[in-house]
């Protein structure tokens, strides 16, 4: 597993890393939710959907080189975080893609995180499930995007 305990190592500030390569959709995330994203990507591979997974590592500064590379390869980027969607990591990615749309191919971001509504108190596992931040929630979001891509391709 790419996120396995490898001991301490120096990482460049502001630089993400690819954890898993894929062709159809990319999941770009921060934090422990990436473990679920990797499991979901493995499941989706068995369903015929090729999913790349990237660890942004940093919310600030954004790894703009990584974002540029992902935008060149993928039509859909799913951002995932255990944080508020409003003003969070996914919003920063969407703002970057929008600000640079003059030089990047059109990319449709899909942001997964804590919605901008009251969240009840409870066990973290249940709260994350309520927000769709589970292996199955991630799989369903990617399935929906892959289906949309197939529909677009048929219409083109």
């Amino acid at each position: 597993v790419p996120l396995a305990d490898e001991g301490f190592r120096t990482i460049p500030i502001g630089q993400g890393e690819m954890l898993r390569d894929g062709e159809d959709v990319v999941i770009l995330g921060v934090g422990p939710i990436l473990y679920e994203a990797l499991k979901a990507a493995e499941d989706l591979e068995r369903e015929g959907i090729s999913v790349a997974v990237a660890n942004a590592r940093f919310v600030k500064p954004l790894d703009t080189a990584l974002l540029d590379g992902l935008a060149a390869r993928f039509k859909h980027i799913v951002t995932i975080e255990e944080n508020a969607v409003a003003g969070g990591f996914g919003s920063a990615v969407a703002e970057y893609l929008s600000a640079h749309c003059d030089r990047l191919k059109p990319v449709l971001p899909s942001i997964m995180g804590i919605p901008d509504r009251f969240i009840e108190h409870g066990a973290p596992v249940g709260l994350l499930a309520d927000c769709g931040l589970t292996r199955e929630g991630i799989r369903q979001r990617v399935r929906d995007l892959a289906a949309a891509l197939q529909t677009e391709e048929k219409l083109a």
Side-chain angles (χ1 to χ4, degrees):
V1 175
L3 294 175
D5 182 18
E6 300 170 1
F8 290 108
R9 59 187 166 114
T10 303
I11 58 172
I13 293 176
Q15 187 175 29
E17 65 178 337
M18 291 301 294
L19 300 177
R20 183 182 201 285
D21 203 13
E23 299 297 322
D24 299 322
V25 175
V26 62
I27 298 170
L28 174 63
V30 290
I33 193 68
L34 284 167
Y35 288 107
E36 293 299 300
L38 285 166
K39 292 174 194 172
E42 290 172 12
D43 296 342
L44 289 160
E45 190 76 35
R46 289 188 288 276
E47 295 176 24
I49 302 170
S50 179
V51 180
V53 179
N55 180 2
R57 287 189 179 145
F58 296 87
V59 173
K60 266 192 162 187
L62 281 177
D63 185 346
T64 57
L66 177 64
L67 288 175
D68 289 351
L70 295 176
R73 288 187 55 204
F74 298 96
K75 193 166 191 167
H76 289 289
I77 295 177
V78 177
T79 65
I80 190 164
E81 62 192 300
E82 292 178 37
N83 184 39
V85 168
F89 169 70
S91 294
V93 169
E95 288 173 19
Y96 177 81
L97 295 171
S98 176
H100 298 281
C101 65
D102 58 327
R103 64 178 182 79
L104 298 173
K105 323 183 312 197
V107 178
L108 302 171
S110 180
I111 302 170
M112 296 185 73
I114 309 297
D116 194 17
R117 63 175 168 80
F118 181 76
I119 304 294
E120 295 287 336
H121 291 273
V125 171
L127 298 176
L128 291 173
D130 183 48
C131 296
L133 296 173
T134 61
R135 182 178 187 166
E136 179 54 38
I138 297 164
R139 278 195 314 246
Q140 191 57 53
R141 178 72 61 98
V142 173
R143 280 186 198 117
D144 293 345
L145 291 173
L149 275 174
Q150 288 179 344
T151 301
E152 290 172 20
E153 290 170 1
K154 288 178 185 176
L155 295 174

